Amino acid sequence: MVSKEEAEGIWQTLAQQELRDTPVDALKRDYGGLEVDPVYLGDDGAIPGVEPFTRGVRATMYANRPWTIRQYAGFSTAEESNRFYRQALERGQKGLSVAFDLATHRGYDSDHPRVVGDVGKAGVAIDSVEDMKILFDGIPLDEMSVSMTMNGAVIPVLAMFIVAAEEQGVSQDKLSGTIQNDILKEFMVRNTYIYPPEPSMRIVGDIIAHTAQHMPKFNSISISGYHMHEAGATAVQELAYTLADGMDYVRAAQERGLDIDKFAGRLSFFFGIGMNFFVEIAKLRAARTLWSRIMTDLGAKDPRSKMLRTHCQTSGVSLTEQDPYNNVVRTAFEAMAAVLGGTQSLHTNSFDEAIALPSETSSRIARNTQLILQHETRVTDVIDPLGGSYYIEALTEQMVAQAEKLIAEVETQGGMTKAVQSGEPKLAIEKAAAVRQAAIDRGEEVIVGVNRYRLDAQEPIETLEIDNAKVRAAQIARLEQLRNTRDEARCQSALSALREFAAMDEGNLLEAAIEAARARASLGEISLAMEDVFGRYNATTRVLSGVYASEYADDPQFEQARERIATFQKAHRRPPSIFVAKMGQDGHDRGAKVIATAFADIGFDVHMGQLFETPHEVAAHADELKVDAVGVSSLAAGHKTLVPELIAALRERDLDEVAVFVGGVIPSTDYDFLREAGVSDIFGPGTNVLDAAFSVLDRIEGKLSNR
């Protein structure tokens, strides 16, 4: 451990290198006669910009340069998204973060029959290089950092981005930004995978290899804990599983013969930031500490290889449908936590994301939240403002120790790729989510406006709505034009080469896909060429049991629900049954799993459907299983297309008596539409699970009494 004087000397040297011609004393700030040094150096020897980087990856941090303001966004078509991006850049945004629609995520072209309700709904639809060129029209890709959240269809999306840049006159070595490329997390929580784990890891390695050689300014992977956070992981789970994912990605690259110090500096991370203010700050500090140790153990020598650089996003799951203006306050606290934790870039939510897709108004509020933080709070005046705090240092130390223990457990299974295949991390996160939801339902964890201090009446909120049918029709027309005007022989030859590379387990899949994109192969065609070899992965759905029963032991309302189930079973010689469905390409299954777990513990006969089913497939299951009700979980705005299709499919099978319920992110303005379509009840975010159970039971009993 260095002395205070030595630490001061080391910091001064590093800070001067980062500031170049500006003197270090210029970082001092005056607060009306109170002069504060820009850095605190305590007795522990921890120095910002020095391994293990607990106090920040740069010596000067925000005092020299603030974090990058990003806005994760994609709207319906490439034209609409391009308009939004250009407007946001004019208003202070510093980098682009692209949200793709679920059809694109899952490797389907917009004309595929399985994506009727998904095209353009939760992001921008991209089917070809032509769409990608429109998306970035007028945006100089040699000057703008572009982040793309893409995992399943990462090969065609990155290939099309590279080709679009080429045709803009920008070579690969000039491109800066990040591709998420974090497939292990998809198998745990978000579920926008396409191929099985092993070939998916090959894809990760091929992208790391290609970018290391050709794209030195581009981050080849963003190892993401955010989606674990949103699925209900504890802070320690998010931290440990994310870093364990990173370890397997590094090993995958090393197995290709890559020198760790040649690619590790282009790895980045992505964490969610929730409402447990000080824990979230400690989580980022612990992440940097652990990653430095991990990379040292994996053979890294260059300090830049050991730096954990991260993007953060404020939590979506902490936002509420009830009293939504509270969400503006929540986001501001979460954003402050991310900044005090030392993030390199940040996306903030706003107030209506728990209700619908974010509107332009909410996007402006979200962006201004960060601008106010940067320019008005003075939080950028000091490097690691909470460094040396007893509370923060104690939390950081404990998080490091607990995460190390969990990482060690993953390592005993052979690493995260093997652990994911066992399903254990996924189940652990689902259990944590169920436990927290039970605490909220019981009022033990207070959510203002939801389980305490509720409004008597709530004003309607104007929300953004995408005309899914119109967007899909436009995309299909552009696809038809693409296929009619391209050199078909060249296109098919490039797709055959990609297929052969996949089958022979040699060659770089990204490089083969770039050739296919140049030949105007579509995203779906490139994905299918690899699917022909690798197959399409289908996860096994499992429902936890006992979590709610344990959390609700001796709860009168819970016991009342169980007694009603017992009475129903005595009268009908069976328990009430429900099929919990996820339709379309929405893989966010936290809500569906929580409902399935809770209803099973109450006493319902619960059947959990597979992800990504069509309305006709769900109706077939309902018919075969003879269920009383179908519960549809929707978080990606496809409910107005998919739910009426489901009800029509049930009627085709003479299953009018099957009650249909919908839960998730449903704008209140859509409630009448869904009820007119035949939906029995609607459960928005924040609904108490026991209240939902009573409602479902009431409707089932009513349906049966009317037979």
Side-chain angles (χ1 to χ4, degrees), residues 647-665:
I647 292 170
L650 289 170
R651 287 172 179 166
E652 287 173 9
R653 293 173 173 271
D654 295 324
L655 297 175
D656 300 69
E657 75 279 3
V658 174
V660 175
F661 300 87
V662 182
V665 180

mmCIF file of all heavy atoms in Angstrom, residues 647-665:
data_model
loop_
_atom_site.group_PDB
_atom_site.id
_atom_site.type_symbol
_atom_site.label_atom_id
_atom_site.label_comp_id
_atom_site.label_asym_id
_atom_site.label_seq_id
_atom_site.Cartn_x
_atom_site.Cartn_y
_atom_site.Cartn_z
ATOM 1 N N ILE A 647 -58.106 -14.723 -29.383
ATOM 2 C CA ILE A 647 -59.534 -14.901 -29.070
ATOM 3 C C ILE A 647 -60.272 -15.477 -30.273
ATOM 4 O O ILE A 647 -61.126 -16.367 -30.122
ATOM 5 C CB ILE A 647 -60.132 -13.554 -28.617
ATOM 6 C CG1 ILE A 647 -59.532 -13.170 -27.252
ATOM 7 C CG2 ILE A 647 -61.653 -13.632 -28.526
ATOM 8 C CD1 ILE A 647 -59.850 -11.769 -26.802
ATOM 9 N N ALA A 648 -59.912 -15.022 -31.481
ATOM 10 C CA ALA A 648 -60.522 -15.587 -32.688
ATOM 11 C C ALA A 648 -60.161 -17.062 -32.847
ATOM 12 O O ALA A 648 -61.010 -17.896 -33.218
ATOM 13 C CB ALA A 648 -60.073 -14.793 -33.910
ATOM 14 N N ALA A 649 -58.906 -17.410 -32.540
ATOM 15 C CA ALA A 649 -58.465 -18.806 -32.659
ATOM 16 C C ALA A 649 -59.173 -19.692 -31.637
ATOM 17 O O ALA A 649 -59.503 -20.853 -31.928
ATOM 18 C CB ALA A 649 -56.958 -18.894 -32.467
ATOM 19 N N LEU A 650 -59.432 -19.161 -30.430
ATOM 20 C CA LEU A 650 -60.177 -19.927 -29.426
ATOM 21 C C LEU A 650 -61.618 -20.154 -29.890
ATOM 22 O O LEU A 650 -62.167 -21.259 -29.724
ATOM 23 C CB LEU A 650 -60.171 -19.180 -28.085
ATOM 24 C CG LEU A 650 -58.828 -19.132 -27.333
ATOM 25 C CD1 LEU A 650 -58.907 -18.151 -26.165
ATOM 26 C CD2 LEU A 650 -58.417 -20.519 -26.839
ATOM 27 N N ARG A 651 -62.224 -19.142 -30.482
ATOM 28 C CA ARG A 651 -63.604 -19.273 -30.960
ATOM 29 C C ARG A 651 -63.702 -20.264 -32.107
ATOM 30 O O ARG A 651 -64.701 -20.983 -32.233
ATOM 31 C CB ARG A 651 -64.136 -17.901 -31.371
ATOM 32 C CG ARG A 651 -64.433 -17.009 -30.153
ATOM 33 C CD ARG A 651 -64.762 -15.589 -30.550
ATOM 34 N NE ARG A 651 -65.062 -14.782 -29.355
ATOM 35 C CZ ARG A 651 -65.125 -13.454 -29.342
ATOM 36 N NH1 ARG A 651 -64.917 -12.764 -30.467
ATOM 37 N NH2 ARG A 651 -65.414 -12.817 -28.215
ATOM 38 N N GLU A 652 -62.668 -20.302 -32.951
ATOM 39 C CA GLU A 652 -62.653 -21.280 -34.036
ATOM 40 C C GLU A 652 -62.710 -22.703 -33.491
ATOM 41 O O GLU A 652 -63.199 -23.624 -34.152
ATOM 42 C CB GLU A 652 -61.389 -21.108 -34.885
ATOM 43 C CG GLU A 652 -61.402 -19.873 -35.778
ATOM 44 C CD GLU A 652 -60.056 -19.653 -36.461
ATOM 45 O OE1 GLU A 652 -59.186 -20.554 -36.371
ATOM 46 O OE2 GLU A 652 -59.870 -18.576 -37.075
ATOM 47 N N ARG A 653 -62.192 -22.875 -32.268
ATOM 48 C CA ARG A 653 -62.181 -24.192 -31.621
ATOM 49 C C ARG A 653 -63.359 -24.363 -30.660
ATOM 50 O O ARG A 653 -63.352 -25.287 -29.841
ATOM 51 C CB ARG A 653 -60.856 -24.390 -30.880
ATOM 52 C CG ARG A 653 -59.641 -24.489 -31.802
ATOM 53 C CD ARG A 653 -58.338 -24.522 -31.011
ATOM 54 N NE ARG A 653 -57.196 -24.770 -31.875
ATOM 55 C CZ ARG A 653 -56.731 -25.967 -32.185
ATOM 56 N NH1 ARG A 653 -57.306 -27.057 -31.678
ATOM 57 N NH2 ARG A 653 -55.694 -26.110 -32.990
ATOM 58 N N ASP A 654 -64.337 -23.448 -30.728
ATOM 59 C CA ASP A 654 -65.508 -23.484 -29.835
ATOM 60 C C ASP A 654 -65.106 -23.406 -28.370
ATOM 61 O O ASP A 654 -65.661 -24.098 -27.509
ATOM 62 C CB ASP A 654 -66.346 -24.752 -30.090
ATOM 63 C CG ASP A 654 -66.960 -24.757 -31.480
ATOM 64 O OD1 ASP A 654 -67.353 -23.666 -31.954
ATOM 65 O OD2 ASP A 654 -67.021 -25.833 -32.090
ATOM 66 N N LEU A 655 -64.113 -22.558 -28.092
ATOM 67 C CA LEU A 655 -63.627 -22.393 -26.721
ATOM 68 C C LEU A 655 -63.989 -21.008 -26.177
ATOM 69 O O LEU A 655 -63.200 -20.350 -25.505
ATOM 70 C CB LEU A 655 -62.099 -22.593 -26.669
ATOM 71 C CG LEU A 655 -61.585 -23.987 -27.049
ATOM 72 C CD1 LEU A 655 -60.061 -24.011 -27.065
ATOM 73 C CD2 LEU A 655 -62.110 -25.041 -26.079
ATOM 74 N N ASP A 656 -65.215 -20.563 -26.451
ATOM 75 C CA ASP A 656 -65.668 -19.260 -25.973
ATOM 76 C C ASP A 656 -65.654 -19.162 -24.448
ATOM 77 O O ASP A 656 -65.551 -18.067 -23.883
ATOM 78 C CB ASP A 656 -67.089 -18.979 -26.479
ATOM 79 C CG ASP A 656 -67.168 -18.959 -27.998
ATOM 80 O OD1 ASP A 656 -67.007 -20.034 -28.603
ATOM 81 O OD2 ASP A 656 -67.394 -17.872 -28.557
ATOM 82 N N GLU A 657 -65.780 -20.322 -23.771
ATOM 83 C CA GLU A 657 -65.838 -20.298 -22.307
ATOM 84 C C GLU A 657 -64.477 -20.099 -21.662
ATOM 85 O O GLU A 657 -64.379 -19.889 -20.443
ATOM 86 C CB GLU A 657 -66.462 -21.602 -21.792
ATOM 87 C CG GLU A 657 -65.557 -22.830 -21.854
ATOM 88 C CD GLU A 657 -65.502 -23.463 -23.247
ATOM 89 O OE1 GLU A 657 -66.114 -22.908 -24.180
ATOM 90 O OE2 GLU A 657 -64.849 -24.520 -23.391
ATOM 91 N N VAL A 658 -63.408 -20.177 -22.439
ATOM 92 C CA VAL A 658 -62.058 -19.964 -21.891
ATOM 93 C C VAL A 658 -61.844 -18.459 -21.695
ATOM 94 O O VAL A 658 -61.875 -17.680 -22.660
ATOM 95 C CB VAL A 658 -60.973 -20.555 -22.815
ATOM 96 C CG1 VAL A 658 -59.580 -20.187 -22.297
ATOM 97 C CG2 VAL A 658 -61.116 -22.066 -22.906
ATOM 98 N N ALA A 659 -61.623 -18.045 -20.464
ATOM 99 C CA ALA A 659 -61.416 -16.627 -20.164
ATOM 100 C C ALA A 659 -59.997 -16.220 -20.546
ATOM 101 O O ALA A 659 -59.041 -16.966 -20.312
ATOM 102 C CB ALA A 659 -61.643 -16.370 -18.676
ATOM 103 N N VAL A 660 -59.854 -15.039 -21.135
ATOM 104 C CA VAL A 660 -58.547 -14.521 -21.541
ATOM 105 C C VAL A 660 -58.207 -13.292 -20.697
ATOM 106 O O VAL A 660 -59.011 -12.360 -20.581
ATOM 107 C CB VAL A 660 -58.530 -14.162 -23.041
ATOM 108 C CG1 VAL A 660 -57.192 -13.511 -23.425
ATOM 109 C CG2 VAL A 660 -58.778 -15.405 -23.886
ATOM 110 N N PHE A 661 -57.034 -13.320 -20.108
ATOM 111 C CA PHE A 661 -56.533 -12.209 -19.300
ATOM 112 C C PHE A 661 -55.233 -11.711 -19.924
ATOM 113 O O PHE A 661 -54.481 -12.489 -20.508
ATOM 114 C CB PHE A 661 -56.263 -12.664 -17.863
ATOM 115 C CG PHE A 661 -57.488 -13.188 -17.170
ATOM 116 C CD1 PHE A 661 -57.858 -14.524 -17.289
ATOM 117 C CD2 PHE A 661 -58.283 -12.350 -16.400
ATOM 118 C CE1 PHE A 661 -58.995 -15.014 -16.671
ATOM 119 C CE2 PHE A 661 -59.420 -12.831 -15.775
ATOM 120 C CZ PHE A 661 -59.780 -14.168 -15.910
ATOM 121 N N VAL A 662 -54.978 -10.418 -19.777
ATOM 122 C CA VAL A 662 -53.760 -9.824 -20.321
ATOM 123 C C VAL A 662 -53.065 -9.032 -19.225
ATOM 124 O O VAL A 662 -53.704 -8.273 -18.495
ATOM 125 C CB VAL A 662 -54.070 -8.897 -21.517
ATOM 126 C CG1 VAL A 662 -52.767 -8.320 -22.089
ATOM 127 C CG2 VAL A 662 -54.827 -9.646 -22.603
ATOM 128 N N GLY A 663 -51.748 -9.218 -19.117
ATOM 129 C CA GLY A 663 -50.967 -8.470 -18.141
ATOM 130 C C GLY A 663 -49.693 -7.948 -18.766
ATOM 131 O O GLY A 663 -49.221 -8.473 -19.770
ATOM 132 N N GLY A 664 -49.149 -6.879 -18.178
ATOM 133 C CA GLY A 664 -47.890 -6.337 -18.673
ATOM 134 C C GLY A 664 -47.985 -4.858 -18.955
ATOM 135 O O GLY A 664 -48.751 -4.121 -18.326
ATOM 136 N N VAL A 665 -47.189 -4.409 -19.933
ATOM 137 C CA VAL A 665 -47.148 -2.996 -20.292
ATOM 138 C C VAL A 665 -48.282 -2.720 -21.279
ATOM 139 O O VAL A 665 -48.133 -2.871 -22.492
ATOM 140 C CB VAL A 665 -45.787 -2.617 -20.894
ATOM 141 C CG1 VAL A 665 -45.757 -1.138 -21.275
ATOM 142 C CG2 VAL A 665 -44.676 -2.914 -19.894
#
